[in-house]
Amino acid sequence: MEHAATSIPLSRRRAAPRIAWGKIGAMTVLIVTAVIALFPMYWLFANAFTPISGTPPLTPILVPAFKLDNFQRLLGGTKYYANWMLNSLIVALTVTAWHVIFDTMAGYAFAKRRFPGRNVLFWILLSTLMIPIHVTLIPLYIITRGIGLIDTLGGVILPGTAVVFGIFLMRQYIQTLPSELEEAARVDGAGEFRIFWEIILPLCKPAVAALAIFTFVRFWNDFLWPLIVLNKAQNYTLTVGVANLQGEFMTDWGVIFSGAALAALPMIVFFLAFQKYFLEGVRMGAIKG
């Protein structure tokens, strides 16, 4: 028996399992990164569910008390919180709907249609992404004041419709769709709008979902422009309203934590509802250059 065991070639012997140190290291880095990224959100909710009447303690609150005192003071003492939530919802949904419709149509035109100056116009639009938003604030304010939209939701929504990132996103995605589908539909007598509505748009669902998520999150969290345009408390969006809960001499941080937690909640629900389409859109190259 000893002779039989030693006669087996070394290459045929079963190799001892190797420890995949590279995989373990990568997983460790990912877990640590995820914990660091999620900790601020956890800390926010931990403070929101812990009774805090003034300044939070110096030691971070890691284990929440699971009480609703902060939320009761927020909803009972903040007169316009429902208005702020509704205003943010109107702004985010309106701008998202606009970008989903307009950017998809424009992306289709730049990706599949041929017209003079197409590439030049696209690169001019793309170059506007390089302009810092702070450079445009004063001209935007003068234009918004000139057309009488200061302190209105229209003044918040209108500049948001001019962002060209969505056009770039949709163009890159639609370029990956086979042109044979359009040609076959055109041979069957379909017009441009029918080709777009019945062929292109259904194939763009992952990219449209990704665009909707990007746009909704961005304008739900937008703070600077609404802060400049809106003056009356009842017209504030949620981000501006929560920021104004901070007092001049004393701040109830428990109320601010609870307000911020409620403001973050729709974002979390929105992302969880559409994460399948978002991940699919990223995987299929919706945002590749």
Side-chain angles (χ1 to χ4, degrees):
M1 294 296 290
E2 183 180 353
H3 174 73
T6 55
S7 64
I8 299 175
L10 292 176
S11 59
R12 296 181 58 185
R13 293 181 185 177
R14 189 172 184 178
R18 295 182 179 179
I19 300 176
W21 291 109
K23 188 175 181 180
I24 293 175
M27 289 299 296
T28 303
V29 171
L30 288 176
I31 291 173
V32 171
T33 305
V35 170
I36 293 174
L38 292 176
F39 180 76
M41 185 65 69
Y42 171 78
W43 185 68
L44 169 66
F45 280 93
N47 281 274
F49 283 99
T50 303
I52 303 172
S53 57
T55 304
L58 294 177
T59 305
I61 299 173
L62 298 180
V63 181
F66 295 108
K67 293 185 178 179
L68 301 177
D69 298 34
N70 296 331
F71 294 96
Q72 290 172 349
R73 290 204 309 280
L74 169 70
L75 300 178
T78 307
K79 187 177 179 182
Y80 297 115
Y81 193 83
N83 292 48
W84 301 341
M85 184 77 78
L86 181 61
N87 292 341
S88 287
L89 200 62
I90 291 172
V91 170
L93 287 178
T94 303
V95 177
T96 300
W98 167 265
H99 278 284
V100 166
I101 296 171
F102 178 80
D103 292 354
T104 307
M105 297 176 71
Y108 170 66
F110 279 115
K112 296 295 185 181
R113 310 309 311 148
R114 296 287 185 269
F115 55 86
R118 183 188 69 163
N119 292 333
V120 174
L121 181 59
F122 177 73
W123 285 110
I124 290 175
L125 284 175
L126 203 59
S127 65
T128 61
L129 291 174
M130 312 301 171
I131 301 174
I133 187 174
H134 308 88
V135 176
T136 64
L137 287 179
I138 294 178
L140 274 179
Y141 183 83
I142 294 174
I143 294 172
T144 306
R145 186 182 60 183
I147 57 180
L149 291 179
I150 291 296
D151 204 21
T152 65
L153 293 184
V156 181
I157 293 171
L158 190 59
T161 60
V163 180
V164 299
F165 169 74
I167 298 175
F168 170 72
L169 182 74
M170 297 309 301
R171 175 186 178 270
Q172 297 304 103
Y173 184 84
I174 294 174
Q175 273 187 332
T176 64
L177 302 179
S179 300
E180 289 78 7
L181 294 174
E182 306 165 59
E183 295 169 2
R186 201 166 283 114
V187 169
D188 289 341
E192 290 298 331
F193 182 76
R194 188 178 175 189
I195 292 174
F196 171 77
W197 186 258
E198 296 187 3
I199 297 178
I200 300 298
L201 194 57
L203 294 174
C204 291
K205 282 182 180 178
V208 168
L211 174 62
I213 292 174
F214 288 144
T215 308
F216 189 88
V217 170
R218 174 178 177 178
F219 285 92
W220 180 271
N221 294 327
D222 192 17
F223 174 74
L224 183 58
W225 179 244
L227 177 67
I228 294 173
V229 173
L230 302 175
N231 299 323
K232 297 177 183 176
Q234 61 267 32
N235 293 333
Y236 287 166
T237 56
L238 198 53
T239 52
V240 179
V242 171
N244 276 277
L245 291 176
Q246 185 173 356
E248 184 175 359
F249 300 104
M250 181 179 175
T251 300
D252 189 340
W253 287 99
V255 170
I256 292 182
F257 278 123
S258 60
L262 285 181
L265 205 56
M267 288 297 89
I268 298 172
V269 174
F270 191 80
F271 176 77
L272 292 177
F274 292 98
Q275 65 169 332
K276 172 187 172 184
Y277 297 103
F278 174 75
L279 296 177
E280 188 176 355
V282 173
R283 181 180 61 82
M284 296 179 68
I287 60 174
K288 68 180 180 180

